[in-house]
Amino acid sequence: MTGDAPPLIIILGPTGVGKTELAISLAQVVGGEIVGADSRQIYRYMDIGTAKPTAGQQAQIPHHLIDIVPPDYNLSLAEYQDAANRAIEAVHQRGRIPFLVGGSGQYISAVEEGWSIPRVPPDPKLRAELERFASENSPAALHKRLRQFDPVAAERIHPNNTRRVIRALEVQMLTGHAISDLQKKRPPPWRLLRIGLQLPRSILYPRVDARVDAMIEAGLVEEVARLLDMGYDRAIPSMSGLGYREIAAHLLDGGPLDEAIGRAKFSTHEFIRRQDVWFRGHDNGILWHNVEDVDAAALARFLGDWLERGDRPNC
């Protein structure tokens, strides 16, 4: 992409690593706005468990794609991609710099790699049949079915990610074409700079454990109870998010709260491992930084230089 292309700065990394704080700091220096790339922060009423930017943080820098759908709306990847592209274009139209910020690897890759996503509407009956098959036979058995039809997609999708396995099978069964064949890529119209944040797991795991504890103190149990009282079933995709699934089980099944908290921490560790796998597999020139060593002022100067000298390569 040439220096004439409008810029897009991507800040990515595992959950709890500190992306929001750094993005706000950098955006304030270079005149930026933040476009969210988080598959849970899109939902209204789900604030504590998603670590959504606070009202104070959102007041510092404009944020987009936060609180855009109710919890029972199943936002497709294509819909997210369209919304992100529109938000990025609108930021450019205002003469500002868009920052795509988050830890949802599929969201980020769909935007930065220009995925061509099949516009196949959900088939509730087919999905229910596939969910029943996974429940009765195991997620691994469903993943094996996908491997028979689309080994490329099966290689990309973790066997335990039942929702994505079902979507891949759904597209194949409704169109007769493998989802991997339909997901072609086209170069995005931006000049990209990718900044990745990381921490050793020996530091990151205790950090996210403390964050789970802080969420409980901030009222996560009450937030989940309120969502259930509003009629949002624990089986909907939004309620499968980290912390929500475990706390809903505590409230509805009567298990001890401390066990639910422990499961939420374990699930977060597992999610971080999956994020690492995704980012390694989609590393298109990420400039990685250990959060403990980041010099925000120096990084801001680098960004300013990169923006001014459009012929500089992404390094």
Side-chain angles (χ1 to χ4, degrees):
M1 191 61 64
T2 68
D4 294 333
L8 174 63
I9 297 168
I10 300 173
I11 298 182
L12 56 82
T15 188
V17 80
K19 300 179 292 294
T20 297
E21 293 82 357
L22 180 65
I24 290 173
S25 173
L26 296 177
Q28 287 177 318
V29 173
V30 301
E33 299 184 19
I34 294 174
V35 177
D38 188 293
S39 64
R40 291 299 180 264
Q41 292 181 0
I42 61 173
Y43 295 115
R44 303 183 193 114
Y45 320 124
M46 305 181 76
D47 302 328
I48 298 171
T50 64
K52 197 172 290 179
T54 66
Q57 289 174 319
Q58 294 187 52
Q60 295 178 60
I61 290 292
H63 284 66
H64 309 281
L65 304 193
I66 293 175
D67 291 334
I68 60 174
V69 294
D72 56 355
Y73 187 87
N74 187 15
L75 188 79
S76 70
L77 182 61
E79 289 176 305
Y80 169 79
Q81 183 192 47
D82 289 343
N85 289 341
R86 289 193 301 268
I88 291 166
E89 175 61 23
V91 174
H92 283 141
Q93 290 292 329
R94 288 189 288 273
R96 295 175 65 81
I97 307 300
F99 284 68
L100 185 68
V101 181
S104 296
Q106 193 178 33
Y107 275 15
I108 293 170
S109 296
V111 173
E112 72 153 324
E113 296 177 1
W115 288 9
S116 181
I117 303 168
R119 262 59 175 178
V120 179
D123 185 320
K125 182 178 179 181
L126 177 57
R127 288 190 171 189
E129 292 175 359
L130 294 172
E131 288 171 356
R132 186 164 52 251
F133 179 89
S135 177
E136 294 174 353
N137 297 277
S138 80
L142 187 69
H143 189 265
K144 184 176 180 180
R145 285 183 61 179
L146 175 61
R147 187 173 294 279
Q148 293 171 343
F149 289 115
D150 188 352
V152 175
E155 188 66 27
R156 294 173 180 168
I157 302 173
H158 192 280
N160 291 336
N161 195 333
T162 303
R163 187 170 67 163
R164 287 190 61 206
V165 172
I166 287 174
R167 177 57 176 167
L169 282 168
E170 178 183 46
V171 169
Q172 194 282 329
M173 295 171 75
L174 293 177
T175 69
H177 298 283
I179 194 172
S180 59
D181 290 337
L182 297 175
Q183 288 176 330
K184 303 301 181 183
K185 300 175 182 178
R186 60 188 184 280
W190 312 299
R191 183 167 58 95
L192 300 173
L193 178 66
R194 307 166 179 89
I195 298 172
L197 300 183
Q198 59 187 358
L199 276 173
R201 290 180 186 172
S202 60
I203 298 174
L204 184 56
Y205 285 173
R207 181 168 170 162
V208 296
D209 287 352
R211 188 168 78 157
V212 171
D213 292 332
M215 288 175 176
I216 297 296
E217 289 293 323
L220 179 57
V221 175
E222 292 78 9
E223 180 171 271
V224 176
R226 185 164 57 251
L227 288 163
L228 294 170
D229 288 342
M230 293 170 70
Y232 295 114
D233 192 277
R234 64 170 162 179
I236 61 177
S238 65
M239 293 289 278
S240 70
L242 298 173
Y244 291 93
R245 176 178 59 246
E246 293 82 7
I247 298 302
H250 156 68
L251 293 170
L252 297 174
D253 302 333
L257 178 58
D258 60 344
E259 292 184 7
I261 294 171
R263 287 194 300 271
K265 293 176 179 179
F266 178 83
S267 296
T268 304
H269 298 178
E270 187 177 59
F271 180 61
I272 287 170
R273 291 193 289 272
R274 293 201 303 271
Q275 287 177 302
D276 288 343
V277 170
W278 182 278
F279 292 135
R280 285 200 304 270
H282 295 78
D283 191 335
N284 299 308
I286 301 171
L287 178 60
W288 286 104
H289 291 270
N290 185 308
V291 174
E292 294 188 317
D293 299 328
V294 169
D295 183 335
L299 189 53
R301 290 192 296 271
F302 169 77
L303 288 187
D305 185 49
W306 181 82
L307 290 167
E308 183 177 351
R309 296 179 58 189
D311 57 339
R312 276 190 70 161
N314 180 21
C315 59

